Amino acid sequence: MLKRILIKASGEMLGGTGGYGLDQDSLLTLAKYLKQAHDTGVQLGIVIGAGNIMRGTSAQYLTRTKADSAGMLGTAINAIVLQDILQQEFQLDCIVLGAFSIDGMFQQSSPQLLDTYFTQKKVVIFAGGTGAPYFSTDTAGVLKALEINADLMIKVTKVDGVYDKDPHQFPDAKKYDFISYQEVLAKKLNVMDFTATSLAMENNLPIRVVNLSGDNLVSIINKKSIGTLVSSCE
């Protein structure tokens, strides 16, 4: 069984069918699966995006720097909400740590705090992305996975793995059970942004891409082959 994992979830997963705002059923669904993962005994870190609130690349009326800054605050909102759902509905001991601190809400992350909270078996939710503009929360996920020495990063999506093209638009789309970082970059597949993929490749961080259903997370933690594994060449 894996000992420590980082789960990267998009903000859109909290927004229901429209992908915007905060949908109670979507929040409860995500929290339920996170609780199942935690109950295996794995140490759990979570990076959540902010696409349900603000996407820096789509805010044409703002400068990119300001839009990304607003997106970082959006991840803080999502982190605080998810923390409360996990604590109130599922009695999980959670802590939010940020790329920056917000007085009265959460502290800035540090290696010392991480060691303390993981030793105490707390679920750690990371807010604020990387803390810098021009970097996605996918990149933040890889960075945090490396920082906490995660055995694996799990990226949860709306599809059950990586395909050679959008399976919602193309019925003949081919699913990969395994794909290398190099192939993802060469084929320009929309798994993560290229910065995140390159960083994972440079540090040999394995990533499993999967949808959030059934016992997928628990199966992955127990080292079953679910979804798509992105790793170095076989």
Side-chain angles (χ1 to χ4, degrees):
M1 191 181 83
L2 300 175
K3 293 182 179 179
R4 184 178 293 179
I5 61 173
L6 188 289
I7 293 178
K8 165 60 176 58
S10 68
E12 288 92 333
M13 295 188 68
L14 307 183
T17 55
Y20 295 101
L22 292 166
D23 176 73
Q24 183 180 18
D25 289 341
S26 299
L27 279 161
L28 288 170
T29 297
L30 175 59
K32 177 186 73 173
Y33 288 122
L34 294 174
K35 172 69 161 57
Q36 291 174 356
H38 179 266
D39 285 351
T40 66
V42 75
Q43 293 178 335
L44 184 58
I46 304 164
V47 168
I48 190 78
N52 58 319
I53 297 173
M54 168 67 75
R55 295 186 66 87
T57 55
S58 62
Q60 303 294 334
Y61 48 89
L62 297 175
T63 63
R64 177 62 187 273
T65 299
K66 293 300 184 184
D68 283 355
S69 296
M72 291 177 217
L73 293 176
T75 68
I77 293 171
N78 285 339
I80 291 168
V81 170
L82 182 59
Q83 178 194 30
D84 197 54
I85 293 290
L86 287 169
Q87 290 182 158
Q88 298 301 321
E89 299 295 331
F90 296 94
Q91 291 73 55
L92 281 187
D93 196 1
C94 301
I95 192 77
V96 176
L97 295 177
F100 45 82
S101 63
I102 296 181
D103 287 347
M105 294 187 183
F106 51 78
Q107 295 174 280
Q108 186 172 8
S109 181
S110 72
Q112 293 78 17
L113 286 174
L114 288 171
D115 286 342
T116 297
Y117 293 136
F118 278 126
T119 298
Q120 294 172 354
K121 302 188 183 301
K122 293 181 185 286
V123 175
V124 180
I125 306 173
F126 295 101
T130 66
Y134 293 95
F135 292 99
S136 72
T137 49
D138 281 342
T139 299
V142 173
L143 281 169
K144 291 303 175 185
L146 295 172
E147 184 179 345
I148 68 174
N149 295 313
D151 300 313
L152 178 72
M153 172 174 156
I154 302 174
K155 180 173 179 178
V156 292
T157 70
K158 294 181 179 180
V159 294
D160 60 344
V162 178
Y163 286 78
D164 62 348
K165 49 192 172 183
D166 188 344
H168 293 136
Q169 297 184 26
F170 301 96
D172 62 339
K174 173 189 172 185
K175 178 177 175 286
Y176 298 97
D177 293 324
F178 169 87
I179 190 168
S180 68
Y181 311 111
Q182 294 89 342
E183 193 172 359
V184 169
L185 293 170
K187 293 185 175 181
K188 298 182 179 180
L189 298 178
N190 190 27
V191 180
M192 301 187 301
D193 65 82
F194 291 172
T195 301
T197 303
S198 297
L199 183 61
M201 179 174 65
E202 289 170 8
N203 293 276
N204 200 28
L205 172 70
I207 299 167
R208 195 165 280 280
V209 182
V210 67
N211 63 351
L212 199 64
S213 63
D215 61 353
N216 281 355
L217 291 183
V218 172
S219 294
I220 291 171
I221 292 166
N222 288 315
K223 296 189 174 181
K224 295 182 180 179
S225 296
I226 305 293
T228 300
L229 178 64
V230 183
S231 188
S232 56
C233 294
E234 290 182 306

